Amino acid sequence: MNRKVKALMVLNNIKGVDIAKKLGVSPTTVYVVLSGKGKSRRIQKAVAEALDMTVEDLWPNGNNKAA
């Protein structure tokens, strides 16, 4: 998992399962994206919004494009 994203989620008490419920996807899907093994602009955007940041702030190396 992206260490920066993980740390920010912990600090802000945001859980992947909460993102999953909000988007109507499985928690596994969210964790696959957070780990970098999958890509979903929708999930990245939801995480960024929950953290009051931009996708580019959290995934600056171009890892923010959906496959």
Side-chain angles (χ1 to χ4, degrees), residues 1-60:
M1 181 181 283
N2 180 324
R3 288 181 187 199
K4 177 181 178 179
V5 175
K6 181 179 179 181
L8 289 168
M9 287 177 72
V10 169
L11 285 172
N12 289 282
N13 197 31
I14 297 168
K15 296 180 174 66
V17 69
D18 297 328
I19 300 292
K21 285 179 185 178
K22 177 181 176 184
L23 297 177
V25 300
S26 75
T28 301
T29 302
V30 172
Y31 289 110
V32 166
V33 172
L34 293 176
S35 72
K37 294 179 182 178
K39 295 180 183 177
S40 168
R41 178 72 175 189
R42 182 172 167 235
I43 292 172
Q44 289 175 327
K45 185 176 178 183
V47 171
E49 287 175 357
L51 294 170
D52 197 28
M53 299 181 80
T54 67
V55 172
E56 291 74 22
D57 289 335
L58 299 176
W59 288 275

